[in-house]
Amino acid sequence: MVLTASTMLDLGTPAPNFQLPDVVSGQTISLDTFAHRKVLLVMFICQHCPFVKHVQSELAQIGQDYSAQSLGMVAISSNDIQSHPLDDPEHLTAMATSLGYNFPICFDECQDVAKQYTAACTPDFFVFDAHRKLVYRGQLDDSRPSNNLMVTGEDLRGALDAALAEQPIAAQQKPSIGCNIKWKLGNEPPYYG
C-alpha cells in the first residue's frame, strides 16, 4: 500500500464521460444515466482497501440520506485484479449487496476512466454541478483508519448540500487520502509516483 492523496483536479473541469458496466445489474452506466439529476457524485473505491473499508458504511448512508434528492451517485473500481483479485467484479458485487449500496458500482477494467478523472487513491471523490462542472474534489471527512476520529462525511456532505442548493463551495478543499489505485504494470499515469 502506498499512501496517496487526491490529485485535486482543477475546479470547473467538465465531467469526463464514461461507459462502464455496473457489476450488480450488468447495465452500462454513463454520464447520461444521471442526466435527470442536478448533481453527480463520482467515487473511486475498491473492495480491499482499509481506507475504503473505514468509510464504506458512510457511503451507503449517504446513498440512503440523499435518495430523495436530485443526486446521482456512482462508484468506480479501477484496480488491477491480477495483482488485487479481491477487487474483481464478484467481490465488488458482494460488497455492494452486503452494504446495501443503492447506487451502481462499476468496474473500470482498462483503467481509462480513472485516468480521465485523474483519480489517484481509494477513496477519491468528485462532485459535479448541474452543468457537470467539477465543484468539489477531496476527502469525505477528517477521519482515517488510525486517527480515532468518527466518520461523519462532513466535507463531502457539505459539498453535496451546497451543490444541490446551487450555493458556492469554498475552493479550499482537503485532498482525500488512501491507498493508491493499483495500476496495471506499464499502465501507470504520469501523475502516479
Side-chain angles (χ1 to χ4, degrees):
M1 173 184 81
V2 178
L3 198 60
T4 302
S6 303
T7 61
M8 302 305 275
L9 184 63
D10 289 341
L11 294 173
T13 298
N17 201 4
F18 59 87
Q19 289 195 322
L20 293 172
D22 174 9
V23 298
V24 177
S25 71
Q27 293 181 321
T28 298
I29 305 297
S30 70
L31 285 186
D32 285 344
T33 304
F34 308 100
H36 61 295
R37 300 289 184 173
K38 183 189 282 187
V39 175
L40 175 62
L41 168 60
V42 178
M43 306 174 280
F44 287 85
I45 66 171
C46 65
Q47 196 281 135
H48 88 276
C49 170
F51 286 84
V52 175
K53 287 183 182 295
H54 181 65
V55 302
Q56 62 189 11
S57 294
E58 175 63 12
L59 301 184
Q61 191 62 53
I62 287 172
Q64 295 300 324
D65 291 349
Y66 288 83
S67 62
Q69 299 196 48
S70 192
L71 173 67
M73 291 177 66
V74 59
I76 298 171
S77 181
S78 301
N79 280 355
D80 176 15
I81 60 172
Q82 296 300 319
S83 62
H84 290 79
L86 290 178
D87 294 329
D88 70 10
E90 250 178 76
H91 287 93
L92 294 173
T93 301
M95 176 179 82
T97 304
S98 68
L99 291 163
Y101 283 171
N102 64 356
F103 48 82
I105 180 164
C106 299
F107 181 52
D108 176 24
E109 185 174 9
C110 297
Q111 304 184 314
D112 292 342
V113 178
K115 287 181 179 181
Q116 289 170 348
Y117 280 78
T118 68
C121 55
T122 53
D124 213 348
F125 302 98
F126 300 84
V127 178
F128 297 90
D129 66 12
H131 306 289
R132 294 302 179 255
K133 302 286 188 185
L134 185 66
V135 292
Y136 180 83
R137 72 287 191 250
Q139 69 176 11
L140 180 77
D141 58 31
D142 288 326
S143 181
R144 305 287 182 263
S146 59
N147 70 7
N148 295 319
L149 293 177
M150 204 166 104
V151 176
T152 62
E154 179 181 17
D155 294 52
L156 181 60
R157 285 173 178 268
L160 293 174
D161 291 343
L164 286 162
E166 298 181 28
Q167 297 296 316
I169 299 168
Q172 270 306 100
Q173 300 171 2
K174 297 178 187 175
S176 187
I177 293 174
C179 302
N180 64 294
I181 287 179
K182 307 307 185 224
W183 302 103
K184 295 178 181 179
L185 196 59
N187 197 40
E188 304 87 349
Y191 58 83
Y192 172 71

